[in-house]
Amino acid sequence: MFDNAADAQAARISDDVVKIGVLTDMSGQFSHESGEGAVTAVKMAVEDFGGKVLGKPIEVVVADHQNKPDTASALARKWFDVDRVDMIANLINSSIALTVSGLAKEKSRIAIINGSGSSRLTGDACTPNSIHYAYDTYALARGTGAALAKAGKKSWYFLTADYAFGHALEADTSAVVKALGGEVVGATRYPPDAFDQSSFLLQAQSSKAQVVGLAGSGNVLVNSIKSAHEFGIPDGGQTLAGLLVWITDVKSLGLSAAQGLVLTNAFYWDRDDETRAWSKRFYERTKRMPHMGDAGDYSSTMHYLKAIEAAGTDEAQAVMSKMRELPINDFFAKGGRIREDGRMVHDMYVYEVKKPSESKADWDFYKLREVIPGDQAFRPLKDSACPLVKKG
Protein backbone atom coordinates (compact mmCIF):
# COMPACT_ATOMS: atom_id res chain seq x y z
CA MET A 1 0.00 0.00 0.00
CA PHE A 2 1.13 3.53 -0.76
CA ASP A 3 1.08 6.03 2.07
CA ASN A 4 0.23 8.94 -0.21
CA ALA A 5 0.00 10.09 -3.80
CA ALA A 6 3.68 11.01 -3.89
CA ASP A 7 4.65 7.41 -3.09
CA ALA A 8 2.38 6.20 -5.87
CA GLN A 9 4.07 8.53 -8.32
CA ALA A 10 7.55 7.54 -7.16
CA ALA A 11 6.78 3.92 -7.98
CA ARG A 12 6.40 4.96 -11.63
CA ILE A 13 10.11 5.70 -11.94
CA SER A 14 11.67 2.78 -13.81
CA ASP A 15 14.29 0.85 -11.81
CA ASP A 16 13.79 3.35 -8.95
CA VAL A 17 16.34 5.75 -10.48
CA VAL A 18 16.40 8.33 -13.27
CA LYS A 19 19.59 7.86 -15.28
CA ILE A 20 21.00 10.55 -17.53
CA GLY A 21 23.88 9.66 -19.84
CA VAL A 22 26.20 12.38 -21.15
CA LEU A 23 27.56 11.01 -24.42
CA THR A 24 30.17 13.46 -25.64
CA ASP A 25 33.69 14.08 -26.91
CA MET A 26 35.89 14.06 -23.82
CA SER A 27 39.29 14.19 -25.51
CA GLY A 28 39.03 14.86 -29.26
CA GLN A 29 38.80 17.94 -31.46
CA PHE A 30 35.28 18.86 -30.24
CA SER A 31 36.03 18.40 -26.53
CA HIS A 32 36.32 22.16 -25.90
CA GLU A 33 32.79 22.47 -27.30
CA SER A 34 31.39 19.70 -25.12
CA GLY A 35 33.36 17.30 -22.93
CA GLU A 36 33.84 18.35 -19.32
CA GLY A 37 31.71 21.44 -19.87
CA ALA A 38 28.72 19.33 -20.89
CA VAL A 39 29.20 17.01 -17.93
CA THR A 40 29.50 19.94 -15.52
CA ALA A 41 26.35 21.61 -16.88
CA VAL A 42 24.23 18.46 -16.60
CA LYS A 43 25.48 17.76 -13.07
CA MET A 44 24.75 21.36 -12.04
CA ALA A 45 21.17 20.96 -13.23
CA VAL A 46 20.75 17.71 -11.29
CA GLU A 47 22.15 19.32 -8.14
CA ASP A 48 19.98 22.43 -8.54
CA PHE A 49 16.91 20.22 -8.99
CA GLY A 50 17.74 18.61 -5.65
CA GLY A 51 19.29 15.33 -6.75
CA LYS A 52 15.94 13.53 -6.74
CA VAL A 53 12.74 13.56 -8.79
CA LEU A 54 9.46 12.09 -7.52
CA GLY A 55 11.41 10.86 -4.52
CA LYS A 56 13.88 8.83 -6.57
CA PRO A 57 17.59 9.56 -7.11
CA ILE A 58 18.99 11.04 -10.32
CA GLU A 59 22.21 9.47 -11.58
CA VAL A 60 24.57 10.87 -14.23
CA VAL A 61 26.83 8.58 -16.25
CA VAL A 62 29.43 9.72 -18.77
CA ALA A 63 31.10 8.22 -21.84
CA ASP A 64 33.48 9.41 -24.58
CA HIS A 65 32.21 8.50 -28.05
CA GLN A 66 35.60 9.42 -29.60
CA ASN A 67 33.76 10.95 -32.57
CA LYS A 68 33.10 7.46 -33.94
CA PRO A 69 29.45 6.69 -34.83
CA ASP A 70 29.96 2.95 -34.30
CA THR A 71 31.44 3.57 -30.84
CA ALA A 72 28.60 5.92 -29.98
CA SER A 73 26.02 3.41 -31.19
CA ALA A 74 27.53 0.61 -29.09
CA LEU A 75 27.68 2.81 -25.99
CA ALA A 76 24.10 4.03 -26.45
CA ARG A 77 22.79 0.48 -26.97
CA LYS A 78 24.51 -0.70 -23.79
CA TRP A 79 23.19 2.29 -21.87
CA PHE A 80 19.63 1.68 -23.07
CA ASP A 81 19.60 -2.14 -22.90
CA VAL A 82 21.82 -2.95 -19.94
CA ASP A 83 22.27 0.17 -17.80
CA ARG A 84 18.69 1.40 -18.27
CA VAL A 85 19.64 4.99 -19.07
CA ASP A 86 16.51 7.10 -19.55
CA MET A 87 17.91 10.09 -21.44
CA ILE A 88 21.12 10.75 -23.37
CA ALA A 89 22.40 14.33 -23.39
CA ASN A 90 24.80 16.54 -25.38
CA LEU A 91 25.62 14.35 -28.43
CA ILE A 92 28.27 16.54 -30.04
CA ASN A 93 28.97 15.51 -33.66
CA SER A 94 25.96 15.43 -35.96
CA SER A 95 26.63 11.97 -37.38
CA ILE A 96 26.52 10.62 -33.84
CA ALA A 97 23.44 12.65 -32.88
CA LEU A 98 21.56 11.28 -35.91
CA THR A 99 22.52 7.71 -34.97
CA VAL A 100 21.66 7.99 -31.27
CA SER A 101 18.37 9.83 -31.79
CA GLY A 102 17.27 6.94 -34.01
CA LEU A 103 18.24 4.49 -31.28
CA ALA A 104 16.31 6.49 -28.68
CA LYS A 105 13.19 6.06 -30.81
CA GLU A 106 13.86 2.34 -31.25
CA LYS A 107 14.42 1.79 -27.51
CA SER A 108 11.64 4.13 -26.27
CA ARG A 109 14.08 6.49 -24.51
CA ILE A 110 14.94 10.15 -25.00
CA ALA A 111 17.82 11.99 -26.71
CA ILE A 112 18.39 15.73 -26.13
CA ILE A 113 20.89 17.27 -28.52
CA ASN A 114 22.83 20.42 -27.64
CA GLY A 115 26.26 19.78 -29.12
CA SER A 116 25.31 19.02 -32.72
CA GLY A 117 23.83 21.30 -35.33
CA SER A 118 22.51 19.44 -38.38
CA SER A 119 19.01 20.69 -39.18
CA ARG A 120 18.19 17.18 -40.40
CA LEU A 121 17.62 16.34 -36.73
CA THR A 122 14.30 18.17 -36.92
CA GLY A 123 13.86 17.54 -40.64
CA ASP A 124 13.74 14.19 -42.39
CA ALA A 125 15.57 12.54 -39.45
CA CYS A 126 13.24 13.83 -36.71
CA THR A 127 11.89 11.38 -34.14
CA PRO A 128 9.15 11.54 -31.47
CA ASN A 129 11.86 10.80 -28.88
CA SER A 130 14.46 13.47 -29.63
CA ILE A 131 14.80 17.20 -29.02
CA HIS A 132 17.18 19.60 -30.77
CA TYR A 133 17.66 22.29 -28.18
CA ALA A 134 20.36 24.96 -28.43
CA TYR A 135 20.89 25.72 -32.13
CA ASP A 136 20.91 24.26 -35.62
CA THR A 137 22.47 24.90 -39.01
CA TYR A 138 19.34 26.65 -40.31
CA ALA A 139 19.51 29.24 -37.49
CA LEU A 140 23.26 29.72 -37.92
CA ALA A 141 22.78 30.28 -41.65
CA ARG A 142 19.79 32.53 -41.14
CA GLY A 143 21.80 34.71 -38.76
CA THR A 144 25.29 34.94 -40.21
CA GLY A 145 24.35 34.53 -43.89
CA ALA A 146 21.68 37.22 -43.75
CA ALA A 147 23.85 39.62 -41.70
CA LEU A 148 26.67 39.49 -44.25
CA ALA A 149 24.28 39.72 -47.20
CA LYS A 150 22.78 42.86 -45.69
CA ALA A 151 26.31 44.25 -45.45
CA GLY A 152 26.71 43.78 -49.21
CA LYS A 153 28.70 40.52 -49.11
CA LYS A 154 27.01 38.51 -51.86
CA SER A 155 29.56 36.03 -53.29
CA TRP A 156 30.58 33.03 -51.19
CA TYR A 157 33.11 30.20 -51.27
CA PHE A 158 32.67 27.38 -48.74
CA LEU A 159 35.26 25.30 -46.92
CA THR A 160 33.09 22.48 -45.67
CA ALA A 161 33.80 19.66 -43.21
CA ASP A 162 32.87 16.46 -45.04
CA TYR A 163 30.31 15.03 -42.62
CA ALA A 164 26.65 15.56 -41.72
CA PHE A 165 27.09 18.87 -39.88
CA GLY A 166 29.25 20.49 -42.54
CA HIS A 167 26.96 19.39 -45.36
CA ALA A 168 23.89 20.77 -43.58
CA LEU A 169 25.61 24.05 -42.74
CA GLU A 170 26.75 24.59 -46.32
CA ALA A 171 23.30 23.71 -47.70
CA ASP A 172 21.38 25.92 -45.27
CA THR A 173 23.73 28.88 -45.70
CA SER A 174 23.75 28.54 -49.49
CA ALA A 175 19.95 28.68 -49.49
CA VAL A 176 19.97 31.89 -47.42
CA VAL A 177 22.66 33.51 -49.59
CA LYS A 178 20.83 32.69 -52.83
CA ALA A 179 17.46 33.80 -51.45
CA LEU A 180 18.99 37.20 -50.73
CA GLY A 181 20.39 37.57 -54.23
CA GLY A 182 23.86 36.23 -53.60
CA GLU A 183 25.81 33.46 -55.29
CA VAL A 184 28.02 30.54 -54.31
CA VAL A 185 31.09 30.55 -56.55
CA GLY A 186 32.56 27.32 -55.25
CA ALA A 187 33.14 24.92 -52.39
CA THR A 188 35.76 22.50 -51.13
CA ARG A 189 35.00 19.62 -48.78
CA TYR A 190 37.73 18.46 -46.44
CA PRO A 191 38.04 15.48 -44.05
CA PRO A 192 36.80 16.59 -40.58
CA ASP A 193 40.19 15.81 -39.02
CA ALA A 194 42.27 17.60 -41.70
CA PHE A 195 44.21 20.05 -39.56
CA ASP A 196 46.30 21.37 -42.46
CA GLN A 197 43.93 23.64 -44.38
CA SER A 198 46.59 25.27 -46.60
CA SER A 199 45.54 23.94 -50.01
CA PHE A 200 41.84 24.48 -49.27
CA LEU A 201 42.40 28.05 -48.15
CA LEU A 202 44.44 28.85 -51.25
CA GLN A 203 41.52 27.66 -53.40
CA ALA A 204 39.17 29.91 -51.45
CA GLN A 205 41.56 32.82 -51.80
CA SER A 206 41.93 32.37 -55.55
CA SER A 207 38.13 32.26 -55.96
CA LYS A 208 37.99 36.02 -55.16
CA ALA A 209 34.68 35.40 -53.34
CA GLN A 210 33.73 38.20 -50.97
CA VAL A 211 33.05 35.70 -48.17
CA VAL A 212 34.91 32.54 -47.24
CA GLY A 213 32.34 30.48 -45.36
CA LEU A 214 33.92 28.10 -42.87
CA ALA A 215 31.36 25.32 -42.56
CA GLY A 216 33.15 23.33 -39.89
CA SER A 217 33.88 23.24 -36.21
CA GLY A 218 36.35 22.20 -33.54
CA ASN A 219 40.12 22.58 -33.51
CA VAL A 220 40.19 22.38 -37.32
CA LEU A 221 38.13 25.59 -37.52
CA VAL A 222 40.48 27.35 -35.13
CA ASN A 223 43.49 26.25 -37.18
CA SER A 224 41.85 27.31 -40.45
CA ILE A 225 41.17 30.84 -39.15
CA LYS A 226 44.77 31.15 -37.96
CA SER A 227 46.03 29.92 -41.33
CA ALA A 228 43.71 32.30 -43.21
CA HIS A 229 45.36 35.20 -41.42
CA GLU A 230 48.82 33.82 -42.23
CA PHE A 231 47.84 33.71 -45.93
CA GLY A 232 46.53 37.27 -45.73
CA ILE A 233 42.98 36.36 -46.73
CA PRO A 234 41.24 38.99 -44.52
CA ASP A 235 43.92 41.57 -45.40
CA GLY A 236 43.14 40.91 -49.07
CA GLY A 237 39.55 42.02 -48.58
CA GLN A 238 37.81 38.66 -48.18
CA THR A 239 35.56 38.23 -45.14
CA LEU A 240 35.89 35.11 -43.02
CA ALA A 241 32.53 33.77 -41.88
CA GLY A 242 32.82 31.25 -39.07
CA LEU A 243 29.45 29.59 -39.43
CA LEU A 244 29.74 27.88 -36.05
CA VAL A 245 32.01 29.71 -33.63
CA TRP A 246 32.06 28.85 -29.93
CA ILE A 247 33.37 31.32 -27.37
CA THR A 248 36.08 28.77 -26.56
CA ASP A 249 37.22 29.10 -30.20
CA VAL A 250 37.55 32.86 -29.77
CA LYS A 251 39.53 32.30 -26.58
CA SER A 252 41.89 29.94 -28.45
CA LEU A 253 42.27 32.34 -31.37
CA GLY A 254 42.69 35.51 -29.34
CA LEU A 255 40.96 38.75 -30.29
CA SER A 256 43.70 39.82 -32.71
CA ALA A 257 42.87 36.89 -34.98
CA ALA A 258 39.15 36.64 -34.21
CA GLN A 259 38.22 40.35 -34.30
CA GLY A 260 35.46 41.20 -36.75
CA LEU A 261 34.12 37.66 -37.06
CA VAL A 262 30.34 37.70 -37.40
CA LEU A 263 28.68 34.74 -35.72
CA THR A 264 25.27 33.51 -34.66
CA ASN A 265 24.71 32.13 -31.19
CA ALA A 266 22.00 31.07 -28.76
CA PHE A 267 23.76 32.26 -25.61
CA TYR A 268 26.35 34.72 -24.38
CA TRP A 269 27.45 34.76 -20.77
CA ASP A 270 27.38 38.57 -20.56
CA ARG A 271 23.88 39.06 -22.03
CA ASP A 272 22.05 39.98 -18.82
CA ASP A 273 22.09 39.56 -15.04
CA GLU A 274 20.72 35.98 -15.20
CA THR A 275 23.29 34.78 -17.72
CA ARG A 276 26.09 36.41 -15.74
CA ALA A 277 24.97 34.80 -12.46
CA TRP A 278 24.77 31.29 -13.89
CA SER A 279 27.98 31.72 -15.87
CA LYS A 280 29.85 32.79 -12.74
CA ARG A 281 28.84 29.51 -11.06
CA PHE A 282 29.92 27.54 -14.13
CA TYR A 283 33.22 29.41 -14.29
CA GLU A 284 33.96 28.61 -10.66
CA ARG A 285 33.86 24.90 -11.55
CA THR A 286 35.51 24.90 -14.97
CA LYS A 287 37.70 28.03 -15.03
CA ARG A 288 36.18 29.05 -18.35
CA MET A 289 33.03 30.84 -19.41
CA PRO A 290 30.17 28.70 -20.74
CA HIS A 291 28.95 28.62 -24.33
CA MET A 292 25.54 27.80 -25.79
CA GLY A 293 26.14 24.05 -25.59
CA ASP A 294 26.86 24.21 -21.87
CA ALA A 295 23.91 26.51 -21.17
CA GLY A 296 21.67 24.35 -23.33
CA ASP A 297 22.75 21.17 -21.55
CA TYR A 298 21.84 22.71 -18.20
CA SER A 299 18.54 24.20 -19.36
CA SER A 300 17.37 21.07 -21.20
CA THR A 301 18.30 18.77 -18.32
CA MET A 302 16.34 20.96 -15.92
CA HIS A 303 13.40 21.00 -18.35
CA TYR A 304 13.56 17.20 -18.65
CA LEU A 305 13.44 16.76 -14.88
CA LYS A 306 10.55 19.21 -14.55
CA ALA A 307 8.69 17.21 -17.19
CA ILE A 308 9.21 13.95 -15.28
CA GLU A 309 7.84 15.64 -12.18
CA ALA A 310 4.83 16.97 -14.10
CA ALA A 311 4.18 13.63 -15.84
CA GLY A 312 4.57 11.59 -12.66
CA THR A 313 6.72 9.07 -14.51
CA ASP A 314 9.93 8.76 -16.51
CA GLU A 315 8.18 6.89 -19.34
CA ALA A 316 9.52 8.47 -22.54
CA GLN A 317 6.36 9.51 -24.36
CA ALA A 318 4.70 10.88 -21.23
CA VAL A 319 7.81 12.95 -20.53
CA MET A 320 8.14 14.10 -24.14
CA SER A 321 4.52 15.23 -24.05
CA LYS A 322 5.16 17.33 -20.95
CA MET A 323 8.36 18.76 -22.39
CA ARG A 324 6.41 19.96 -25.43
CA GLU A 325 3.62 21.28 -23.21
CA LEU A 326 5.70 23.22 -20.67
CA PRO A 327 7.24 26.58 -21.68
CA ILE A 328 10.92 27.24 -21.07
CA ASN A 329 11.70 30.40 -19.11
CA ASP A 330 15.17 30.51 -17.65
CA PHE A 331 18.52 32.23 -18.19
CA PHE A 332 18.95 30.38 -21.49
CA ALA A 333 15.61 31.19 -23.12
CA LYS A 334 12.46 33.19 -22.48
CA GLY A 335 9.24 31.82 -23.92
CA GLY A 336 11.01 28.81 -25.38
CA ARG A 337 8.85 25.97 -26.66
CA ILE A 338 9.40 22.53 -28.15
CA ARG A 339 7.58 21.91 -31.43
CA GLU A 340 6.27 18.61 -32.74
CA ASP A 341 9.39 18.19 -34.89
CA GLY A 342 11.55 18.31 -31.74
CA ARG A 343 12.90 21.81 -32.37
CA MET A 344 13.18 23.99 -29.27
CA VAL A 345 12.29 27.45 -30.55
CA HIS A 346 13.92 30.48 -28.92
CA ASP A 347 15.61 33.73 -29.85
CA MET A 348 19.01 33.64 -31.53
CA TYR A 349 21.64 36.40 -31.55
CA VAL A 350 24.06 37.72 -34.15
CA TYR A 351 27.31 38.92 -32.59
CA GLU A 352 30.52 40.46 -33.83
CA VAL A 353 33.82 39.68 -32.15
CA LYS A 354 35.30 42.79 -30.55
CA LYS A 355 38.61 44.38 -31.41
CA PRO A 356 41.26 43.99 -28.68
CA SER A 357 40.85 47.69 -27.88
CA GLU A 358 37.10 47.22 -27.28
CA SER A 359 37.45 44.36 -24.80
CA LYS A 360 37.44 45.46 -21.16
CA ALA A 361 38.17 42.11 -19.47
CA ASP A 362 38.94 38.45 -20.11
CA TRP A 363 36.06 36.74 -21.97
CA ASP A 364 34.59 40.15 -22.94
CA PHE A 365 34.46 39.12 -26.58
CA TYR A 366 31.14 39.93 -28.26
CA LYS A 367 29.06 42.91 -29.26
CA LEU A 368 25.45 42.38 -30.27
CA ARG A 369 24.44 43.12 -33.86
CA GLU A 370 20.94 41.64 -34.04
CA VAL A 371 18.35 39.65 -32.12
CA ILE A 372 16.47 37.13 -34.27
CA PRO A 373 13.08 36.19 -32.77
CA GLY A 374 12.59 32.45 -32.40
CA ASP A 375 9.78 32.26 -34.94
CA GLN A 376 12.17 33.72 -37.53
CA ALA A 377 15.38 32.00 -36.44
CA PHE A 378 14.35 28.41 -37.13
CA ARG A 379 12.91 26.66 -40.17
CA PRO A 380 9.12 27.20 -40.38
CA LEU A 381 7.05 24.09 -39.81
CA LYS A 382 5.38 24.59 -43.19
CA ASP A 383 8.80 23.97 -44.80
CA SER A 384 9.69 21.02 -42.59
CA ALA A 385 10.56 17.59 -43.97
CA CYS A 386 9.76 16.02 -40.59
CA PRO A 387 7.11 13.30 -41.04
CA LEU A 388 5.70 14.12 -37.59
CA VAL A 389 4.54 17.55 -38.71
CA LYS A 390 0.92 17.77 -39.76
CA LYS A 391 0.66 19.98 -42.82
CA GLY A 392 -2.43 22.16 -43.02
Side-chain angles (χ1 to χ4, degrees):
M1 292 291 292
F2 296 112
D3 292 331
N4 53 47
D7 288 336
Q9 283 188 319
R12 298 179 65 191
I13 296 296
S14 58
D15 307 307
D16 290 329
V17 61
V18 170
K19 282 192 179 181
I20 298 171
V22 184
L23 188 54
T24 189
D25 177 2
M26 295 297 293
S27 55
Q29 67 155 311
F30 305 125
S31 57
H32 69 289
E33 303 166 8
S34 54
E36 290 293 349
V39 175
T40 298
V42 170
K43 287 184 174 179
M44 284 175 67
V46 170
E47 290 169 17
D48 288 351
F49 198 80
K52 291 184 177 182
V53 59
L54 297 174
K56 298 297 182 180
I58 305 162
E59 181 181 337
V60 177
V61 295
V62 178
D64 184 351
H65 58 49
Q66 301 171 44
N67 291 305
K68 299 175 182 177
D70 56 343
T71 298
S73 178
L75 287 165
R77 284 185 182 277
K78 179 179 179 294
W79 272 358
F80 288 148
D81 292 341
V82 178
D83 300 328
R84 310 301 295 169
V85 167
D86 298 289
M87 184 270 278
I88 295 183
N90 188 255
L91 294 169
I92 191 85
N93 188 317
S94 289
S95 301
I96 285 165
L98 289 160
T99 297
V100 174
S101 61
L103 277 174
K105 176 185 176 183
E106 177 188 330
K107 302 295 184 180
S108 297
R109 306 298 167 79
I110 292 174
I112 303 181
I113 300 132
N114 277 291
S116 303
S118 174
S119 59
R120 285 192 60 211
L121 288 158
T122 53
D124 66 304
C126 72
T127 85
N129 293 65
S130 54
I131 296 169
H132 205 183
Y133 203 86
Y135 74 101
D136 65 21
T137 52
Y138 182 95
L140 298 178
R142 164 72 180 80
T144 305
L148 290 173
K150 290 173 186 174
K153 309 290 186 180
K154 294 296 184 74
S155 62
W156 286 62
Y157 189 99
F158 287 96
L159 294 185
T160 302
D162 194 12
Y163 76 119
F165 168 75
H167 298 172
L169 192 48
E170 179 188 328
D172 285 335
T173 308
S174 295
V176 169
V177 169
K178 291 173 183 177
L180 293 172
E183 63 173 334
V184 176
V185 301
T188 298
R189 290 185 172 177
Y190 61 85
D193 57 354
F195 284 89
D196 184 358
Q197 299 279 298
S198 302
S199 63
F200 310 130
L201 286 164
L202 289 171
Q203 291 177 57
Q205 189 174 38
S206 65
S207 75
K208 306 298 184 184
Q210 292 173 299
V211 180
V212 178
L214 303 174
S217 174
N219 294 335
V220 170
L221 172 72
V222 172
N223 286 347
S224 67
I225 293 173
K226 289 178 178 177
S227 296
H229 280 273
E230 290 170 5
F231 290 139
I233 289 176
D235 292 339
Q238 290 174 294
T239 297
L240 293 178
L243 296 170
L244 174 59
V245 178
W246 305 82
I247 198 167
T248 44
D249 295 331
V250 176
K251 179 69 172 177
S252 296
L253 285 163
L255 291 181
S256 293
Q259 62 181 311
L261 274 175
V262 175
L263 57 96
T264 303
N265 219 300
F267 174 84
Y268 180 42
W269 71 269
D270 201 19
R271 192 172 72 214
D272 56 38
D273 288 343
E274 283 186 277
T275 60
R276 284 187 285 271
W278 184 82
S279 298
K280 180 182 178 182
R281 294 175 55 216
F282 183 91
Y283 183 89
E284 287 169 354
R285 296 189 181 212
T286 63
K287 304 308 175 190
R288 70 162 174 82
M289 283 299 179
H291 49 55
M292 64 179 170
D294 304 318
D297 280 323
Y298 177 98
S299 175
S300 58
T301 300
M302 187 67 76
H303 191 62
Y304 169 70
L305 296 173
K306 288 177 180 177
I308 291 176
E309 189 172 61
T313 177
D314 62 357
E315 190 277 321
Q317 285 310 312
V319 175
M320 286 293 298
S321 178
K322 284 296 180 183
M323 290 186 79
R324 287 188 287 263
E325 177 186 323
L326 297 172
I328 296 148
N329 287 297
D330 60 12
F331 71 90
F332 180 78
K334 300 299 182 190
R337 58 187 177 84
I338 296 169
R339 302 189 310 202
E340 57 261 49
D341 60 350
R343 175 70 258 161
M344 201 282 265
V345 176
H346 52 85
D347 293 351
M348 294 289 289
Y349 305 85
V350 180
Y351 292 104
E352 182 178 330
V353 178
K354 292 181 175 181
K355 298 174 183 176
S357 60
E358 295 174 315
S359 179
K360 305 304 181 188
D362 197 17
W363 297 97
D364 176 24
F365 292 162
Y366 296 163
K367 52 186 176 184
L368 182 66
R369 287 181 56 144
E370 182 183 357
V371 179
I372 308 174
D375 59 358
Q376 298 175 29
F378 297 98
R379 192 186 309 278
L381 280 176
K382 66 180 179 62
D383 298 331
S384 176
C386 172
L388 302 173
V389 175
K390 298 179 179 65
K391 299 297 177 67

